[in-house]
Amino acid sequence: MGQRVGLVLAGGGARGAYELGALSVLLPVLEERDELPCIFVGTSVGAINAASVAATRHLPAAQAVSRELARWREVDRSAVIRPILSRLPLTALRFAGGLLGVPGVRLPSLLDPAPLEQNLARWIDWDQLHENVESGTVRALSVVATAASTGRAVSFVEGKFEDTAHRSHIIDYVPARIEQIHVRASAAIPILFPPVEITRPAEARGWYVDGATRLNTPIKPAIDLGAQRLVVIGTGSLLPPPTHPGRHDAPQPDFGASAVQLLQGALADPLIEDMRKLGEINSFYTGVSATPGALRERSANGQARYRRIPYIFVAPRRSGAIAKLAARIFHERYGGLKALRSPDLAGLSRLLGTDSPTHGELLSYLLFDPEFIQALIRMGRADARAWLQAPPGIEEPWQVEPLDAFTNTGRAEA
């Protein structure tokens, strides 16, 4: 292989199935070009997918993605969280005890992800993962979590470091033997899932929550770890939502409407900004339009010169596409009397605000439903094909120029 390729996977709960759908199309194509990723970086569910794909990196791409798709197709709610209704009395007691200040009584989270902890041991071949790193098949694996005490983004890395990683002022890089505890910490969604305590390595001992709260799409860690090209899979559209000119008055937001604003701010918005910034840096600092003044400014400030990073970026082509899909499938499978099929999910749906326009957005993160998973895989595959079939650029299928947010595929116009 020529240049080192990094794979960057965003957070998004159940939306992680979309990432595997996209990779099932991209990885065989990249294998034919001798451009398979060797650096894997993920946050939240992206950390689970990154570790799992890294553990199958030694296999032919078609065989690897077949295994990954089979794993996702067996995922349902019981594989991730315990039944909500069974925990309701204990949850209520703990909440009340916390309010009353009862010593030692508190509510760590709304949901119990104990099944996820058990299944991670089965879903990912951890021994093979470490062997792939030791053999050099995987240059580096990084999972990003957020330190609960400081709010700092922490990248746990197994594999080779670049000097730039040690000099970062934004992210703490910690050498570690990646185990399921690090992946669980990266996926510990605040409020929904409890924080996770990491005890090894000792210098990073502490409690951690979802890495998406600070760094949902970890592009910088991939570059810092030596990636010279990037494959980025996002679960939020690059296209802006429909505009609503005029006043901003509306009914009082419910829990769901408030929560979705937090999710959008933590998950979707940074991804859009990071991808646009990557293209702008390619053009302004490293492309034919790079100005001597800009280069001198970085040199004068003691900053390393920017590198030109060609990239592939796959994300939903329509704003709200995954949310609409989640809302439709939920209505078809659990609407009305069909809620008796899963009182647990119906209760969670009501908590998220059933009649709210944001209902589908929130539901899509937690709808671990086989039909939804299958539909996400199909959507990811279709969007990956759309990228590959876009008008040819200079380095097809790689792009250097900034993304055009108003084209159907996100690709810059030829």
Side-chain angles (χ1 to χ4, degrees), residues 137-305:
T137 304
V138 171
R139 179 181 174 86
L141 167 66
S142 164
V143 299
V144 181
T146 302
S149 62
T150 63
R152 289 276 293 179
V154 179
S155 171
F156 294 96
V157 181
E158 181 171 352
K160 294 184 179 180
F161 269 84
E162 295 286 313
D163 290 340
T164 49
H166 295 287
R167 298 199 300 267
S168 175
H169 300 292
I170 300 174
I171 305 164
D172 294 334
Y173 290 95
V174 178
R177 181 179 172 87
I178 302 296
E179 304 290 353
Q180 63 166 290
I181 190 76
H182 302 97
V183 172
R184 284 174 44 222
S186 180
I189 305 172
I191 300 178
L192 295 180
F193 293 167
V196 173
E197 185 180 21
I198 290 178
T199 58
R200 292 182 306 206
E203 62 268 26
R205 181 190 303 270
W207 291 90
Y208 290 84
V209 297
D210 198 312
T213 61
R214 285 293 183 269
L215 200 68
N216 181 55
T217 311
I219 293 174
K220 178 175 170 52
I223 296 173
D224 284 352
L225 292 172
Q228 297 163 314
R229 293 174 180 260
L230 291 178
V231 177
V232 182
I233 313 295
T235 58
S237 175
L238 183 73
L239 294 173
T243 58
H244 297 284
R247 299 174 60 187
H248 298 285
D249 57 334
Q252 180 180 3
D254 59 11
F255 170 83
S258 300
V260 81
Q261 296 304 322
L262 293 175
L263 281 173
Q264 288 291 101
L267 302 181
D269 296 344
L271 168 61
I272 294 170
E273 182 60 29
D274 285 351
M275 291 309 302
R276 288 178 179 163
K277 183 176 180 181
L278 178 61
E280 290 167 359
I281 288 174
N282 280 343
S283 296
F284 187 67
Y285 286 101
T286 68
V288 294
S289 60
T291 64
L295 300 179
R296 284 196 300 271
E297 180 182 355
R298 287 191 61 81
S299 178
N301 292 332
Q303 297 171 299
R305 181 170 179 168

Side-chain angles (χ1 to χ4, degrees), residues 18 232-238 271 313-318 383 409:
Y18 174 93
V232 182
I233 313 295
T235 58
S237 175
L238 183 73
L271 168 61
F313 176 67
V314 176
R317 288 172 286 160
R318 297 181 304 279
D383 290 341
T409 63

